[in-house]
């Protein structure tokens, strides 16, 4: 056991919301410069405590300190927090004539409720919290019950540089999240998690017409076109699929490879998987860690067993390694196709199904035949062809020759059942505000 976190009561949630409401009265009126400085101060605090927070994150979440693990996650926290200070949402003048002036202002909403998952707990918390306070809102955050400790400590540290009540944390089971979505004092919910929960959040938030940003699940397809450079692309595809042991919303979850490259790509990916050290995250030689919880481990295991029962060829991994912890080996699965659970469902683990195709129109249709629409990628040496294929994919982001390459200034959000609204960039910042039009008759 790493530690214990409190289970908040309804009364304690009310207290947190009341504290955030009180703080909103002053925080929302602070000058822009003050709120931008707060973002930079948060970066300073994270920087000063990066070692402590990374270690706690590894112990609680399981991801390694090194590789694309905890230290990387802390780096992303700082990059995203700092970027908020550089974004602007200026007053927009729509009309300015001798007769009339029409302006659009952006106003903060009030108390934001942030509900986060267990896969990137600190980074996603920063994604929810910093744009909210940058725009003059105040926050109550509830981390996943699987990973409350890192968020509690991070909030405690950030509160050293914020006025009381601007940022509040509550911890507890899923029910606490539901209370937040029903709470009349909360004006917006930013939720990152599964589709199933996202639908409940949306229904429950209807009570006071809360604003919503929903970042939900994905089943990202990557399509490797004929003529692609297997040797150069395989390591990038591997990274895009196995980042955080596959426990990443925008990881490659289905890899479609043209018939002409199928075997070489399968072999290249299996070779990289076998050479990647998986182990205790505190061991600095580990590049991948375990699954975060038993529920996810069992799900991944069941999907691989189902694929095997349907004739899939396991190129590496494919069975639990045994021993302590939720370690599942890095697994590449060939000779599997659409209609198999491993391809159709979100595995959220270190298992990549590689699917053969021969016809471009058909593979695009297969990639789009999903309720999800988070992101996707196209891999080719011909960038014009790749861009044309990208435009036909039904998802919020399509990368060419990269995957999961997010950035603080580039908006990201899902279409279809992968969510609503966007995060990041000025477009993401705007989602923490309502528009107010001021229209003046000058005559
Ligand atoms: P989850 O939906 O089970 O839980 C997410 C959060 O919601 C947790 O804090 C949980 O306690 C809370 N919750 C549960 N029931 C609730 C309810 N009825 N009302 C309000 N809150 C409730 O998701 P998870 O298993 O923690 O995370 C994995 C999922 O998150 C995957 O599907 C993954 O793709 C998705 N995800 C999406 C993004 C994105 O940006 N699109 C990023 C990371 C993870």
């Amino acid at each position: 056991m790493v530690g214990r976190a409190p289970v908040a009561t309804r009364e304690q949630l009310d207290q947190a919301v009341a504290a955030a409401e009180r703080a909103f009265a002053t925080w929302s009126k602070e000058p822009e410069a003050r709120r931008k400085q707060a973002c930079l101060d948060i970066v300073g605090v994270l920087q000063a405590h990066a070692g402590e927070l990374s270690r706690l994150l590894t112990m609680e979440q399981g991801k390694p300190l090194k590789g694309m693990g905890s230290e990387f996650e802390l780096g992303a926290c700082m990059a995203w927090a700092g970027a908020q200070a550089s974004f602007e949402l200026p007053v927009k003048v729509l009309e300015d004539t001798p007769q009339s002036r029409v302006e659009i202002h952006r106003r903060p909403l009030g108390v934001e409720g942030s509900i986060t998952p267990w896969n990137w707990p600190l980074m996603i918390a920063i994604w929810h919290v910093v744009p909210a306070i940058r725009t003059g809102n105040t926050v109550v955050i509830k981390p996943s019950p699987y990973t409350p400790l890192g968020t509690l400590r991070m909030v405690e540290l950030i509160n050293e540089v914020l006025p009381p009540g601007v940022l509040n944390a509550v911890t507890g089971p899923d029910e606490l999240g539901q209370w937040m979505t029903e709470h009349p004092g909360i004006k917006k919910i930013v939720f990152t998690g599964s589709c199933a929960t996202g639908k409940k959040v949306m229904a429950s938030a209807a009570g006071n017409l809360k604003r919503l940003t929903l970042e939900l699940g994905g089943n990202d397809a990557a399509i490797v076109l004929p003529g692609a450079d297997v040797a150069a692309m395989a390591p990038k595809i591997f990274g895009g699929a196995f980042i955080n042991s596959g426990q990443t919303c925008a990881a490659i979850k289905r890899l479609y490879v043209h018939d002409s490259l199928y075997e070489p790509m399968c072999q290249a990916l299996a070779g990289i998987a076998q050479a990647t050290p998986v182990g205790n995250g505190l061991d600095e030689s580990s590049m991948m860690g375990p699954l975060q919880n038993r529920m996810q481990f069992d799900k991944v295991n069941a999907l691989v067993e189902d694929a095997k029962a349907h004739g899939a060829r396991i190129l590496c991994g494919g069975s639990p390694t045994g021993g302590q912890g939720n370690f599942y080996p890095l697994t590449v699965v060939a000779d599997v196709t659409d209609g198999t659970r491993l391809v159709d469902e979100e595995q959220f683990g270190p298992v990549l199904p590689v699917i053969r195709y021969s016809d471009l129109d058909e593979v695009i249709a297969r990639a789009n035949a999903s309720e999800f629409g988070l992101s996707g990628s196209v891999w080719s040496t011909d960038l014009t062809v790749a861009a044309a294929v990208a435009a036909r994919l039904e998802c919020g982001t399509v990368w060419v020759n990269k995957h999961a390459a997010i950035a603080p200034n580039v908006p990201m959000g899902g279409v279809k059942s992968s969510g609503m609204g966007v995060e990041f960039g000025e477009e993401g910042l705007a989602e923490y505000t309502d528009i107010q039009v001021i229209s003046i008759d000058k005559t």
Side-chain angles (χ1 to χ4, degrees), residues 116 118-119 142 145 174 177 191-194 197 215-217 249 346:
T116 56
W118 45 260
N119 57 340
K142 186 205 85 65
D174 293 349
F191 170 82
T192 302
S194 63
T197 310
E215 296 291 353
L216 309 179
C249 56
E346 184 186 34

Side-chain angles (χ1 to χ4, degrees), residues 11-91:
E11 291 65 37
Q12 286 168 326
L13 172 63
D14 288 344
Q15 286 167 10
V17 175
E21 282 176 324
R22 280 193 301 276
F24 180 73
T26 45
W27 186 249
S28 59
K29 299 193 177 54
E30 290 285 356
E32 284 279 284
R34 166 73 181 93
R35 298 202 299 247
K36 286 183 178 180
Q37 186 57 46
C39 301
L40 300 176
D41 292 344
I42 290 171
V43 177
V45 167
L46 295 174
Q47 180 85 60
H49 296 273
E52 176 201 340
L53 288 170
S54 305
R55 205 176 155 77
L56 180 55
L57 179 58
T58 289
M59 286 166 40
E60 176 178 60
Q61 205 283 336
K63 64 183 63 185
L65 278 172
K66 300 295 173 187
M68 303 280 272
S70 296
E71 291 176 1
F72 170 83
E73 183 164 346
L74 259 293
C77 290
M78 290 182 254
W80 259 265
Q84 305 310 313
S86 67
F87 299 148
E88 302 290 348
L89 291 177
V91 173

Side-chain angles (χ1 to χ4, degrees), residues 104-384:
I104 298 180
H105 294 248
R106 292 273 172 186
R107 303 289 187 215
L109 302 166
V111 179
E112 181 228 340
S114 154
I115 302 176
T116 56
W118 45 260
N119 57 340
W120 294 90
L122 299 190
M123 182 175 76
I124 292 174
I126 290 291
W127 291 352
H128 291 188
V129 165
V130 185
I133 63 174
R134 161 73 178 80
T135 41
N137 303 282
T138 55
V139 181
V140 176
I141 184 170
K142 186 205 85 65
S144 165
Y146 290 110
T147 52
L149 301 175
T151 304
L152 280 179
R153 179 65 181 139
M154 186 169 77
V155 166
E156 185 176 49
L157 290 166
I158 289 176
N159 271 324
E160 291 174 5
V161 296
L162 291 178
V166 171
L167 175 59
N168 310 272
V170 287
T171 52
D174 293 349
E175 196 182 23
L176 178 62
Q178 191 193 326
W179 296 343
M180 288 171 67
T181 60
E182 293 166 352
H183 203 292
I186 294 180
K187 305 300 184 216
K188 175 181 172 104
I189 293 283
V190 185
F191 170 82
T192 302
S194 63
C195 273
T197 310
K199 288 175 189 169
K200 290 185 199 163
V201 168
M202 191 168 177
S204 171
N208 64 340
L209 288 175
K210 287 183 178 62
R211 298 333 184 226
L212 289 175
T213 301
L214 301 176
E215 296 291 353
L216 309 179
N219 194 11
D220 286 13
I223 303 176
V224 180
L225 300 183
D229 182 342
V230 171
M233 291 175 184
K236 290 193 198 175
I237 291 174
F238 177 83
F242 287 88
I243 179 169
N244 200 25
S245 296
Q247 302 164 110
T248 299
C249 56
I252 299 173
K253 309 231 166 89
R254 307 175 273 161
L255 179 66
Y256 292 92
V257 181
H258 189 262
D259 207 23
S260 56
L261 303 173
Y262 189 77
E263 284 305 331
M265 182 59 83
C266 282
Q267 296 310 324
L269 290 170
I272 300 167
Q274 280 161 330
T276 302
V278 180
N280 184 330
L282 295 176
D283 175 345
E284 296 198 356
S285 64
S286 298
M287 289 295 123
M288 299 274 174
L291 288 156
Q292 201 278 330
N293 56 69
R294 201 66 188 176
M295 173 197 69
Q296 197 59 35
F297 176 93
D298 289 341
K299 181 177 177 188
V300 167
N301 194 26
L303 292 181
V304 175
E305 289 305 317
D306 179 75
K308 284 187 205 166
H310 286 85
R313 180 162 49 112
I314 304 296
L315 297 174
C316 60
S319 303
T321 31
Q324 261 199 324
N326 297 321
F327 288 96
Y328 196 91
L330 306 185
T331 299
V332 180
V333 180
D335 298 346
V336 62
T337 192
D338 310 62
T340 312
R341 287 185 62 202
L342 180 60
V343 178
D344 293 355
E345 296 180 23
E346 184 186 34
Q347 67 273 45
F348 220 61
V351 179
L352 180 65
V354 189
I355 307 139
R356 189 189 293 269
Y357 80 89
S358 51
D359 180 78
L360 184 60
D361 289 336
E362 189 204 316
V363 76
I364 293 171
R366 284 156 75 184
N368 287 338
S370 168
E371 65 162 321
F372 296 110
L374 188 57
S375 36
S377 58
V378 184
W379 300 77
S380 174
T381 43
D382 186 332
L383 299 184
T384 309

